[in-house]
Amino acid sequence: MIAPLARTPAEANLYMDIKACPSCGGNGFSGTSVVMLQDGEVYERHTGTCQECGSPREFVFRMPRDPELRLGAADFGGPEPSELLDPGEWMTVADVATGRDGGPSKSDLAFAAAAVEEALKFVPADADDIPPHAFHSLIGREAYQRMPARYSRGRLSAIAAALREQAAAPYRTPPDLP
């Protein structure tokens, strides 16, 4: 069995939430999961239905061998890039989190910062930009084509830092309006 690595439950859940249903194109998934061991690898199989049309869906992920790595990881995963979402998908997730009606909450901002930091992991150590071949999904390729300059180490680092700063800033009560 070959399955992509889900570094943390948060990453697997996000992937299942945003992966479009092949039947209706909708997003959202609800179901149950079971852990399996095969050929010395740990897998997690999720079965359930599309939240929009009710069609059956299934996701299978390879899990880290060390449960402490899986459960103790901050945000979405370790230092390696995601096998589930490409950098354009991570930036789309960040955009959605910060574009909520009524403005983003502090948790939305922290979530968006974590997503941007995931995109940043795709910049090779010896490069300044994410290579175009890292964008393997339709959403990711479209995001890259709209704004390729956004995917530089400097730009992503600045966006993540600004989001973390906003998330950590003290809450200010809005002034009374006349």
Side-chain angles (χ1 to χ4, degrees), residues 83-100:
E83 291 183 21
L84 299 180
L85 283 78
D86 71 23
E89 289 173 307
W90 283 113
M91 291 304 290
T92 300
V93 165
D95 292 341
V96 169
T98 58
R100 301 210 191 271

Side-chain angles (χ1 to χ4, degrees), residues 24-117:
C24 72
N27 298 98
F29 170 81
S30 62
T32 60
S33 66
V34 62
V35 175
M36 306 176 300
L37 183 62
Q38 184 176 345
D39 299 326
E41 294 286 336
V42 178
Y43 295 89
E44 196 166 273
R45 179 176 175 237
H46 298 260
T47 55
T49 58
C50 171
Q51 290 181 335
E52 292 194 27
C53 73
S55 293
R57 299 197 68 193
E58 176 182 72
F59 298 93
V60 179
F61 304 111
R62 195 173 76 251
M63 307 309 290
R65 290 178 188 218
D66 183 349
E68 287 185 30
L69 291 176
R70 181 172 175 248
L71 299 175
D75 298 315
F76 294 107
E80 69 282 349
S82 175
E83 291 183 21
L84 299 180
L85 283 78
D86 71 23
E89 289 173 307
W90 283 113
M91 291 304 290
T92 300
V93 165
D95 292 341
V96 169
T98 58
R100 301 210 191 271
D101 290 339
S105 67
K106 290 193 171 292
S107 62
D108 291 336
L109 293 166
F111 183 86
V116 174
E117 289 161 354

Side-chain angles (χ1 to χ4, degrees), residues 119-134 144 151-157:
L120 193 53
K121 293 175 185 178
F122 285 87
V123 179
D126 60 348
D128 292 326
D129 301 306
I130 298 174
H133 71 317
Y144 178 75
Y151 296 93
S152 70
R153 182 185 312 279
R155 184 95 177 257
L156 291 169
S157 296

